[in-house]
Amino acid sequence: MLISEAEFGSIVSRYKSVLYLCHRNADPDAIGSAFALAGAFGGTVGAIDDLSRTGEALSDIIGAHILIDPSEEGWDMIVVVDTSVQLQLGRIQLARYGLIDHHQDEGLIREAEFYIQRPAKSTAEIVWKILKDNGRQPSREMALGLMAGIISDTGRFKRASAESFMAASELLEAGGFDYEEALQTLSVAPDISQRIAVLKA
Ligand SMILES: [Mn+2]
């Protein structure tokens, strides 16, 4: 069932324990989105396999507690975030789930109990609209996580739409941080193997 952003709050509040699940190698868009949803509506954030390096850096900065490879059992609802195909979820078999995503794949929507899928430039923009349409105020960290998701999925606004810029502007105001600070959440030191490669060159 396709639902609107405004309907999300009343639907998700029917479930007591909710897992917001990110895809494999979870990136800032997935983590920022799941973290903001869990903060606004209650719930736990999880990810399959591992986090990307920028995802890891962001989760440290915003203080996200992320369960790696959570069991699919024991939740009243699992909301899959920023994920378009089962392959990105590894071996986990979802019985009942919802979906929030900006990719245009039909892979996961057919079996979803409810879903929001539309061609935004990032899932974070959809999640920001969900928060606004349900009257939820973001914490500074929630706003920062969503901002990081927009910056990284739009390639620092190279692929941004009017909605991306609008959401970014509102998030700066709501979170009380500046753009430079949001950019810093995405800067990771090169790892050892990259440094060695550079030295060898
Ligand atoms: Mn994304």
Side-chain angles (χ1 to χ4, degrees), residues 23 27-30 33 82-83 101-103 121-124 149 152-153:
H23 55 75
D27 60 9
D29 190 33
S33 296
D82 191 46
T83 304
D101 185 38
H102 66 120
H103 302 96
K121 300 294 180 185
S122 61
T123 296
S152 82
D153 264 33

Side-chain angles (χ1 to χ4, degrees), residues 107-182:
L108 287 171
I109 65 178
R110 265 176 255 130
E111 307 277 307
E113 304 252 320
F114 59 87
Y115 67 90
I116 301 173
Q117 191 198 58
R118 61 177 175 84
K121 300 294 180 185
S122 61
T123 296
E125 289 161 46
I126 299 175
V127 170
W128 176 232
K129 188 164 190 317
I130 292 174
L131 264 58
K132 285 194 297 178
D133 289 359
N134 288 276
R136 306 295 159 118
Q137 293 296 322
S139 67
R140 188 177 193 281
E141 286 69 30
M142 285 156 62
L144 197 56
L146 291 175
M147 183 72 175
I150 295 173
I151 296 171
S152 82
D153 264 33
T154 61
R156 300 194 175 190
F157 296 101
K158 285 196 283 284
R159 297 179 294 273
S161 66
E163 184 186 12
S164 321
F165 281 110
M166 192 83 81
S169 150
E170 291 168 351
L171 286 165
L172 286 175
E173 200 163 71
F177 46 82
D178 59 26
Y179 179 59
E180 190 175 11
E181 183 177 355

Side-chain angles (χ1 to χ4, degrees), residues 50-128:
D50 55 6
L51 309 182
S52 73
R53 295 187 67 231
T54 45
E56 184 99 56
L58 176 67
S59 75
D60 285 347
I61 288 169
I62 60 179
H65 299 287
I66 302 175
L67 295 180
I68 299 296
D69 287 330
S71 165
E72 58 265 62
E73 315 275 322
W75 309 97
D76 297 322
M77 177 53 69
I78 296 178
V79 179
V80 178
V81 175
D82 191 46
T83 304
S84 55
V85 290
Q86 173 67 41
L87 192 66
Q88 290 177 290
L89 295 174
R91 282 183 302 274
I92 198 165
Q93 289 300 325
L94 300 174
R96 311 174 65 201
Y97 65 93
L99 175 72
I100 300 176
D101 185 38
H102 66 120
H103 302 96
Q104 292 301 290
D105 279 282
E106 289 185 12
L108 287 171
I109 65 178
R110 265 176 255 130
E111 307 277 307
E113 304 252 320
F114 59 87
Y115 67 90
I116 301 173
Q117 191 198 58
R118 61 177 175 84
K121 300 294 180 185
S122 61
T123 296
E125 289 161 46
I126 299 175
V127 170
W128 176 232

